[in-house]
Amino acid sequence: AAEENGINTEGIASRMKSEGSLTRKIRDDYAESVAADSNKTMLDIAKDEADINRYTLILKDNKFGDQFEGIVKQMQRVKNTFGDTSKEYWGVNAVFFNKQGLPMEVQFHTQDSFDMKQYTNHQYYEIERDLTRSEKEREDAHEEIIKNTHSLEVPNGMEKV
């Protein structure tokens, strides 16, 4: 479907979340759930993790909306953070379910937003989530991510997403 719509793929080698990364994400999401007085169990949290198996698609800046619209027909959930100044990550994450009902995340990026996430900000992301780092180091890393991300252009056609 991606090729039919003139869309490139990236990150195939890292499409499966590592065991350590998954464990950390479930633990962190569970901690947030407990803090919010949710009744979710750790198993509930784990079942909701859609980005264990994820793919990244690179869409053209000037055709983002049309390309997105062309590929997304089976979508179940969409989160669009392009242009959201409260977010440190800009992209569109969509969750699809396979025939067995298992979720799969697809990330939609422009080349610039992918490069920002994967290369420019990744080192700061690692610092930000490292609980052995000082609060100041983590806050500084967060601020750097925000500054970098907010320098991106919002692609055309986002009203179609």
Side-chain angles (χ1 to χ4, degrees):
E3 287 178 8
E4 293 168 11
N5 286 282
I7 298 169
N8 296 323
T9 59
E10 285 284 351
I12 296 297
S14 60
R15 70 185 180 274
M16 296 297 290
K17 187 178 279 286
S18 72
E19 182 179 344
S21 181
L22 178 60
T23 300
R24 179 194 43 76
K25 189 162 191 317
I26 292 171
R27 182 192 64 228
D28 292 352
D29 289 353
Y30 181 70
E32 285 180 22
S33 175
V34 169
D37 290 328
S38 170
N39 291 328
K40 285 188 172 185
T41 66
M42 198 166 281
L43 181 59
D44 294 332
I45 300 291
K47 285 180 181 178
D48 287 343
E49 294 301 337
D51 69 341
I52 296 167
N53 182 16
R54 62 184 179 243
Y55 295 84
T56 299
L57 303 177
I58 306 297
L59 286 66
K60 305 264 188 280
D61 288 347
N62 61 347
K63 294 182 179 181
F64 197 100
D66 289 335
Q67 288 180 322
F68 181 85
E69 196 173 50
I71 197 170
V72 179
K73 303 229 191 285
Q74 307 165 15
M75 192 177 327
Q76 299 296 318
R77 291 190 313 233
V78 177
K79 182 169 78 171
N80 176 4
T81 58
F82 270 114
D84 185 341
T85 57
S86 72
K87 302 295 183 189
E88 62 181 39
Y89 166 90
W90 283 5
V92 177
N93 293 21
V95 176
F96 299 83
F97 292 88
N98 69 14
K99 291 176 184 174
Q100 293 77 30
L102 298 173
M104 175 184 71
E105 180 180 278
V106 177
Q107 299 175 353
F108 295 84
H109 282 280
T110 64
Q111 190 64 56
D112 288 343
S113 70
F114 176 77
D115 290 345
M116 183 68 68
K117 170 190 89 97
Q118 197 68 22
Y119 305 114
T120 307
N121 282 343
H122 191 73
Q123 63 185 332
Y124 301 113
Y125 173 71
E126 291 296 331
I127 293 168
E128 183 184 33
R129 71 181 191 169
D130 183 351
L131 299 177
T132 66
R133 299 290 190 118
S134 72
E135 187 172 335
K136 171 88 168 94
E137 286 176 299
R138 293 172 60 216
E139 286 173 3
D140 288 349
H142 176 77
E143 290 303 318
E144 192 66 26
I145 293 169
I146 293 289
K147 180 185 78 157
N148 293 340
T149 298
H150 294 178
S151 71
L152 291 169
E153 294 288 326
V154 175
N156 291 334
M158 294 312 295
E159 71 280 356
K160 296 179 181 181
V161 177

